[in-house]
C-alpha cells in the first residue's frame, strides 16, 4: 500500500521549484481567477516558515505594504503557482520567523552568498 501512495505522490511533485530557505526574499507568481479570466499575480516577500515535506510541503511568505502586513501560505507543489523566483538570499538563525508579526519596526535580514 505504501508503494502505491508513493507512486501517486511522485506524479504531483514539481521539479521546477528553485531551492530557497527561511529568510530568503522570493517572488511567487500565482494564477488568479477572476470570473472567466485568468491572470498571473506576483506576491513578493520574506519567507517566514517552511513546513512539511514531499507533496504536502508549504511555505509562508510575509509582505509588508505601507503599514499593513500580509502573510500568505503557499503549497509548494500547487498547480496555481506559476513560478517562484529567489530575489535575495537571507541569513537567519531561526527555522521559523513568526516573531516578526509582533515587531513594531522593520526586520532586517543579513544577505548570504
Amino acid at each position: 500500500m505504501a508503494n502505491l501512495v508513493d507512486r501517486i505522490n511522485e506524479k504531483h511533485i514539481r521539479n521546477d521549484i528553485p531551492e530557497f530557505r527561511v529568510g530568503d526574499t522570493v517572488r511567487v507568481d500565482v494564477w488568479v481567477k477572476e470570473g472567466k479570466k485568468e491572470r498571473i499575480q506576483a506576491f513578493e516577500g520574506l519567507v517566514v516558515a517552511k513546513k512539511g515535506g514531499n507533496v504536502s510541503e508549504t511555505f509562508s511568505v510575509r509582505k509588508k505594504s505601507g503599514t499593513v502586513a500580509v502573510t500568505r501560505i503557499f503549497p509548494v507543489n500547487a498547480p496555481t503557482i506559476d513560478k517562484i523566483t529567489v530575489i535575495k538570499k537571507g541569513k537567519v538563525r531561526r527555522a521559523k520567523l513568526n516573531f516578526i508579526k509582533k515587531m513594531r519596526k522593520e526586520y532586517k535580514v543579513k544577505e548570504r552568498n
Side-chain angles (χ1 to χ4, degrees), residues 9 13 50-58 76-77:
N9 286 343
I13 292 176
K50 283 183 88 173
K51 180 180 170 185
N54 220 355
V55 176
S56 62
E57 184 177 359
T58 61
V76 173
N77 297 302

Side-chain angles (χ1 to χ4, degrees), residues 5 9 22 32 42 46 48-49 51 53-54 64 81 94 105:
V5 173
N9 286 343
V22 173
V32 177
L46 181 71
V48 178
K51 180 180 170 185
N54 220 355
K64 195 169 185 183
I81 293 178
R94 302 274 183 270
K105 43 183 197 171

Side-chain angles (χ1 to χ4, degrees), residues 25-28 42-46 61-64 87:
T25 303
V26 295
R27 180 186 298 119
V28 184
F43 191 88
E44 185 175 328
L46 181 71
V61 178
R62 185 170 178 84
K63 154 180 144 172
K64 195 169 185 183
I87 295 168

Side-chain angles (χ1 to χ4, degrees), residues 57-100:
E57 184 177 359
T58 61
F59 64 100
S60 301
V61 178
R62 185 170 178 84
K63 154 180 144 172
K64 195 169 185 183
S65 55
T67 58
V68 180
V70 179
T71 303
R72 193 163 170 191
I73 301 169
F74 295 102
V76 173
N77 297 302
T80 55
I81 293 178
D82 186 47
K83 69 178 178 183
I84 299 172
T85 311
V86 178
I87 295 168
K88 191 166 72 172
K89 295 182 178 186
K91 182 180 178 183
V92 292
R93 295 166 57 183
R94 302 274 183 270
K96 299 208 177 359
L97 303 176
N98 293 324
F99 64 90
I100 292 176

